[in-house]
Structures are given as C-alpha cells and as structure tokens.
Amino acid sequence: MAPMLKILSLDGGGIRGLSSLLILEKLMETIQKDQHLEKIPRPCDYFDLIGGTSTGGIIAIMLGRLEMSVEDCIKTYRSFAERAFTPKRRILSLPASPNGAYSALALEIAMKDVVKTQCRNINCTNLQTCTHGDEPFQDDSCVKTVVLAVTKENVDAKPTLFRTYDKTSGFRDCTIWQVARATSAASTFFKSIKLGRDQIEFIDAGFGYNNPCQVLMDEAQKQFPEAHQVRVLSIGTGLGAVVTIKNTRISILKALKSIATTSKKVADRLDDEYGETGQYYRFNVDRGLEDITLADWHKDSQISAHTHNYLQDKERDIVRCALAFSTTGDEVDDLDDDWSYDHQFSEKSRNNLRAIRPRLVMLRNKASQDAEQCNSIIRVGPGGWGRISDNECDGGSKQWNFVAV
C-alpha cells in the first residue's frame, strides 16, 4: 500500500503570520469535528513535513520542531511578535539601517524563551530557571521540519534548507534560535546572521521564496520517495497580489520589492498544475491585510477580523480540505493518481453521513475518450472491497460504478 504524504507550507509575511495560524486553527478544528476527536489535533500529528519562510519559518519551528498546538502557537506568536517587532530606540530619525530597524537580540531572546516554555526536562519548573534555550534545531524525534534562508553573498542562489533531520556537518550544531534568526533576517528589519561550522552569512528567503511550497514539495519527494499519494496545504499571509508603479524612484523600488517577495506566482503555478487534482489546497486572505506592514503587531485584532471574514467565505473549501487531509493513503491507494477529487458535501448531506458513522469520500466523475465514466464511492471503515458493476448508458457507452463496502 502506498502511504499518504502530507505537507504543510507557510508563507512569510511578518506579523501577518497570525492570519496563517488562524486559518490552520480552523482547519484543525474541522478535522476534529469530522473525526469526532476529543481534542483538536496538533499539526505535527497530521503532517509529514512542515516548512516555511521568514515568519512562516518561525511558525514551522513552533508547530514542527517544538510540536506546539495551533492554539498555543497563536498565543505564543502574539507575545513573540510584540517583543521581536519593537523598533530600536534611535536619537535621530535616520533611513533604514542595513543592520535592521528591529533588534536581532530581542528576537533571539524571545525565541529562546519560546523554546524554554516547551522544555520537557523534568528539572525545569519555570521559564526563569530553565537553561535549555540553546536546544539544537536538529532532532530526529519530531516531525520533519524545514526552514528556508538564503546566503547574503548571493541572494539569487537556491535557498538553503535548514532541516531537523540534517546530518551534514556544516549546520548540524545550529540551535533553534539561530535558525529562527536566519529565516527572519529580512532586509531592513533584522541584521543577517552567521551560522554553522563555516560561519556562512544568511538572510531570510523572502526575496524569491516567500512562498516556499514548490521547494517543500521537491524536498518531500526526496525524503519520501515511496509516497504515491500527496496532499499539500499552502497558507499565505495576505500579501497583496496587485503591484502598481508610479513615476517616482521610490515607487519603482517598492514595486520591484513587491514582485520579488510575492507569493502569487508560485501559488498560481501550483494551482494550475494541481488545483483540480485534490492534492493541493491554498488559503490566503485576499483583501484587508495589504495595508498592514510586516511589523504591525498592534494590529493583530484587525488581522483576526479580516481572516475571520475570509474563513466564513471559504467554509466549504475548508471542509473539503479537512476531509482530504483526514483520508489516509490506503483508502485511495488502488485508484488512478490522475483522478481528481471532490469532497463537497452540503451540511444536510454531512449530517446524514454522520448518522451512519463511517465517512464517505466521493470522487468526481471523469469521462475517458471512449465516454466511459468511472464513479467511485469509498467507505472508510472495516470491511473489504465491494463490487464493480458496469451499466450500459445511452449511445452504448459504459458507466462503471465502483463501491467499497
């Protein structure tokens, strides 16, 4: 049986990463409801690989390496953002410093405290006495977690992937807070950081890889070559998709920066390739967050409000996504990988399905060149394969009905 590979990809976007967490929280709550679970499941229990860029990288560390629940991550992230995105005190009003407008030391201390709050050492009873803020990023026991950064020497090079499962000597001894610093060292925000045995200087991968989804999919294929069924969840941070240029130098520079950091091109390309297969799901608040800067931590309620409205509009898509990620690879293993999946259910239909307890995953009809249709219903639960019947349709074409009972 081919295993199901599940990937979570998180965009960069500063404090707007809160929007990503709220979307993920809604999805995990929907999975809990659909699976009749006592508690809301943690992402580390549902995904095989979790990764991100910049703020998405920090969230990936919290959810993957530290195995936090989404609820705990939201609370922690709010506090973390307030501490990390407090501007340096300056006597004079100067242009953006190449060393960053925000204190890298403050971010470092805040990240160390996050690590300490998740410390599992029985001798550590509180944050003040815990001495484990320098925990290594590498850890074979956690879900595979990947964080992106690029070298300052060549920002156009392929991103460096910091992996919890990396055995190479160069970055084996990097700590959690160091990797968090590398992935969040956005130009003009935080100064770069030198990491690893060879002290290579890194900045965040927001330029060119703000949406890391394609990179993470390629990485997952390398780490799970035996997987034949894939589910990908990509979550954005509401970065504006419209780029305009006015007749000023500053406007042109801002436009070029927006183009370099946009997540839309990657999202559009993946949607074109996988959008109709049921393998790829993308959520990104499409309006309301574009005027919130990356460091506007005090606008968290505004971010929450716009994300709440977006989730109400996307309720059906959230349900469809939750059903897709609740399905195991074994349940669809013998089906054609090219078939597209449609998990749409009305609320009435879902209530009727719950009455018989086992979930049903329905597959969209797909006609072949000879007008042969395949309709499949898979019943999730005990029991073997059911029957296959062929019905003659008008014009002599065949309709195959496959039922697993």
Side-chain angles (χ1 to χ4, degrees):
M1 293 292 185
M4 173 70 72
L5 173 60
K6 299 176 183 178
I7 305 167
L8 173 59
S9 174
L10 300 158
D11 287 13
I15 185 57
R16 286 180 291 196
L18 175 61
S19 177
S20 302
L21 284 169
L22 294 172
I23 292 171
L24 183 60
E25 180 182 48
K26 181 64 175 179
L27 176 68
M28 302 312 292
E29 288 174 348
T30 306
I31 290 177
Q32 178 201 22
K33 183 178 180 182
D34 180 67
Q35 294 289 299
H36 302 278
L37 303 175
E38 291 184 4
K39 297 182 179 179
I40 299 174
R42 297 176 302 170
C44 63
D45 297 326
Y46 260 84
F47 293 93
D48 302 292
L49 187 143
I50 299 175
T53 296
S54 193
T55 190
I58 291 176
I59 293 173
I61 290 173
M62 292 181 182
L63 298 175
R65 172 60 179 86
L66 298 178
E67 299 182 330
M68 296 172 66
S69 68
V70 182
E71 183 178 10
D72 286 343
C73 191
I74 290 173
K75 294 177 182 177
T76 302
Y77 188 74
R78 280 194 167 103
S79 174
F80 171 86
E82 181 177 352
R83 296 174 62 182
F85 290 111
T86 298
K88 296 176 181 177
R89 293 182 179 179
R90 297 184 184 277
I91 299 175
L92 298 175
S93 178
L94 299 174
S97 168
N99 288 328
Y102 301 91
S103 170
L105 179 60
L107 188 149
E108 173 187 332
I109 295 173
M111 196 65 213
K112 285 184 177 181
D113 285 347
V114 172
V115 176
K116 290 178 183 178
T117 60
Q118 302 303 309
C119 182
R120 296 179 177 86
N121 190 301
I122 59 175
N123 296 319
C124 296
T125 57
N126 58 64
L127 187 67
Q128 286 69 33
T129 59
C130 179
T131 59
H132 298 95
D134 291 313
E135 285 295 288
F137 181 67
Q138 198 278 326
D139 184 358
D140 291 332
S141 66
C142 68
V143 63
K144 292 185 185 300
T145 306
V146 180
V147 171
L148 278 67
V150 297
T151 60
K152 188 177 180 180
E153 294 299 324
N154 184 5
V155 296
D156 194 40
K158 289 183 179 180
T160 296
L161 304 187
F162 292 96
R163 308 170 175 92
T164 54
Y165 47 93
D166 195 352
K167 304 292 186 183
T168 58
S169 301
F171 304 110
R172 182 174 53 204
D173 298 325
C174 289
T175 64
I176 294 174
W177 72 262
Q178 287 176 327
V179 174
R181 274 275 290 109
T183 194
S184 60
S187 175
T188 74
F189 277 79
F190 298 101
K191 67 179 181 181
S192 57
I193 183 173
K194 294 181 179 181
L195 286 185
R197 179 195 62 197
D198 304 315
Q199 290 293 283
I200 298 174
E201 195 166 4
F202 287 98
I203 61 174
D204 87 315
F207 285 98
Y209 298 95
N210 201 59
N211 181 342
C213 193
Q214 183 66 69
V215 174
L216 295 176
M217 291 172 67
D218 294 342
E219 174 68 10
Q221 288 181 344
K222 295 176 184 177
Q223 298 302 320
F224 300 92
E226 73 284 358
H228 299 295
Q229 296 288 336
V230 179
R231 296 286 185 274
V232 181
L233 173 60
S234 174
I235 308 181
T237 58
L239 285 174
V242 178
V243 179
T244 58
I245 297 179
K246 299 179 181 179
N247 294 325
T248 64
R249 183 172 179 271
I250 293 178
S251 176
I252 293 172
L253 291 174
K254 286 183 177 180
L256 292 174
K257 181 180 179 180
S258 296
I259 292 170
T261 58
T262 184
S263 300
K264 188 175 186 300
K265 286 187 178 180
V266 174
D268 288 346
R269 184 172 68 248
L270 291 175
D271 186 64
D272 288 341
E273 186 171 355
Y274 300 103
E276 295 300 321
T277 66
Q279 297 175 325
Y280 170 80
Y281 296 84
R282 169 76 174 175
F283 295 98
N284 185 36
V285 176
D286 50 9
R287 60 184 181 273
L289 302 186
E290 57 273 5
D291 294 329
I292 298 177
T293 69
L294 304 187
D296 280 341
W297 57 265
H298 57 282
K299 294 184 179 180
D300 59 335
S301 61
Q302 187 176 337
I303 295 171
S304 299
H306 287 298
T307 306
H308 172 76
N309 293 334
Y310 171 81
L311 287 171
Q312 288 192 111
D313 293 338
K314 295 291 183 178
E315 184 175 2
R316 180 177 294 180
D317 293 329
I318 289 289
V319 170
R320 183 185 301 128
C321 180
L323 285 171
F325 278 89
S326 298
T327 305
T328 67
D330 291 345
E331 293 161 8
V332 292
D333 185 66
D334 291 337
L335 300 176
D336 191 334
D337 290 343
D338 290 333
W339 285 13
S340 59
Y341 303 93
D342 190 358
H343 305 286
Q344 295 188 54
F345 292 104
S346 66
E347 187 60 33
K348 181 178 180 180
S349 298
R350 288 172 59 78
N351 289 334
N352 290 338
L353 290 174
R354 290 193 186 99
I356 60 174
R357 186 63 178 91
R359 288 182 302 105
L360 302 178
V361 179
M362 304 186 69
L363 294 168
R364 185 183 301 155
N365 296 338
K366 179 180 178 182
S368 59
Q369 290 182 351
D370 59 356
E372 196 171 74
Q373 280 195 325
C374 300
N375 297 325
S376 297
I377 299 179
I378 306 173
R379 176 173 176 177
V380 181
W385 291 107
R387 62 184 181 278
I388 298 178
S389 61
D390 53 12
N391 300 327
E392 291 289 336
C393 301
D394 293 339
S397 63
K398 282 189 175 182
Q399 184 180 51
W400 294 87
N401 299 310
F402 172 56
V403 182
V405 295

